[in-house]
């Protein structure tokens, strides 16, 4: 008797699951419907475009202090210009004041000096710094982003946006210069091997 109840219950579960599965649309259709319910159309990737269509992003960001922006491919025009546009929105509408890029810490220092003070030539800095594994950042789109930050900082000298290099795998040559300087100026401290 118990065995029969088990088989009947198992049969009913399998049939119910089959009916439910038969009524669900295919996964592609479910994904399309979900995107239609939750996606927000963007008017442009142009960094100088209006920001009204990014308001849903602002609601998603809420009170966050850090927002990560990635891209599916490096050096793609649309991804970089959209990143610039989103940065502009985050700075102008949400009060963000830092942009970190996966590049050497020393590169971040050089570009930060430029965006804050105007010291240096961003094209030269990018040409010198964005080589080898960082070559994909040496684009006119990133130059435009750096120059936009500089313009913002010129107009808002008491409320500047900072530029940071955050690749901890390679800090850049300044790390070794700083070690030598510390060793020279503080000889009682332990020396690095």
């Amino acid at each position: 008797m118990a065995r029969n109840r088990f088989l009947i219950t198992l049969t009913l579960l399998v049939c119910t699951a089959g009916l439910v599965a038969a009524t669900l649309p295919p996964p592609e259709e479910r994904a399309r419907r979900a995107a239609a319910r939750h996606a927000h159309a963007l008017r442009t990737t142009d960094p100088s475009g209006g920001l009204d269509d990014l308001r849903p992003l602002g609601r998603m960001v809420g009170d966050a202090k850090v927002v990560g922006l990635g891209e599916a491919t490096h050096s793609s025009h649309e991804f970089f210009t959209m990143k610039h546009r989103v940065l502009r929105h985050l700075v102008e509408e949400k009060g963000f004041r830092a942009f970190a890029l996966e590049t050497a810490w020393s590169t971040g220092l050089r570009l930060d000096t430029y965006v804050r003070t105007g010291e240096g030539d961003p094209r030269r800095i990018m040409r010198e710094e964005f080589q080898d594994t960082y070559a994909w950042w040496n684009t006119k789109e990133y130059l435009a982003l750096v120059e936009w930050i500089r313009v913002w900082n010129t107009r808002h000298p008491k409320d500047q946006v900072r530029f940071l290099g955050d690749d901890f795998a390679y800090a850049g040559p300044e790390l070794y210069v700083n070690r030598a300087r510390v060793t020279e100026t503080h000889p009682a401290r332990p020396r690095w091997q």
Side-chain angles (χ1 to χ4, degrees), residues 9 17 25 65 71-73 80 97 101 105 117 119 129 144 146-147 152 157 159 168 178:
T9 304
K65 303 295 181 213
E71 63 269 341
T73 59
F80 282 9
R97 294 298 180 263
L101 181 65
W105 170 71
T117 68
E119 180 184 320
E129 295 284 344
V146 167
E147 289 176 335
W152 171 273
D159 191 25
F168 298 109
N178 288 338

Side-chain angles (χ1 to χ4, degrees), residues 1-165:
M1 184 74 168
R3 184 172 188 254
N4 287 342
R5 270 192 247 158
F6 173 75
L7 289 174
I8 291 170
T9 304
L10 182 61
T11 303
L12 285 173
L13 285 172
V14 169
C15 290
T16 303
L19 288 172
V20 169
T23 61
L24 286 176
E28 299 83 7
E29 178 60 20
R30 291 195 313 264
R32 189 194 65 72
R33 289 179 186 176
R37 280 192 312 274
H38 301 290
H40 301 278
L42 298 173
R43 290 190 191 112
T44 182
T45 62
D46 182 349
S48 63
L51 300 176
D52 288 348
D53 59 327
L54 293 178
R55 283 193 182 135
L57 172 66
R59 287 192 298 275
M60 286 185 262
V61 168
D63 294 331
K65 303 295 181 213
V66 176
V67 173
L69 303 175
E71 63 269 341
T73 59
H74 293 313
S75 296
S76 296
H77 171 81
E78 291 78 10
F79 283 120
F80 282 9
T81 56
M82 192 65 207
K83 188 180 285 191
H84 180 165
R85 188 165 178 251
V86 169
L87 174 67
R88 195 178 128 227
H89 171 76
L90 293 172
V91 168
E92 292 178 7
E93 304 295 327
K94 300 297 286 181
F96 282 73
R97 294 298 180 263
F99 178 78
L101 181 65
E102 180 189 3
T103 192
W105 170 71
S106 59
T107 304
L109 290 176
R110 290 182 73 190
L111 287 171
D112 187 57
T113 297
Y114 170 74
V115 299
R116 286 183 304 102
T117 68
E119 180 184 320
D121 174 8
R123 285 175 188 81
R124 180 177 179 184
I125 295 168
M126 291 172 68
R127 188 175 54 252
E128 291 172 357
E129 295 284 344
F130 294 151
Q131 298 180 26
D132 300 321
T133 57
Y134 302 116
W136 56 71
W137 302 140
N138 193 9
T139 66
K140 64 182 181 185
E141 292 84 5
Y142 260 107
L143 177 61
L145 183 146
V146 167
E147 289 176 335
W148 179 84
I149 296 172
R150 175 67 191 135
V151 169
W152 171 273
N153 288 345
T154 301
R155 293 179 182 160
H156 304 90
K158 302 268 190 234
D159 191 25
Q160 294 192 336
V161 174
R162 304 293 302 262
F163 192 104
L164 298 100

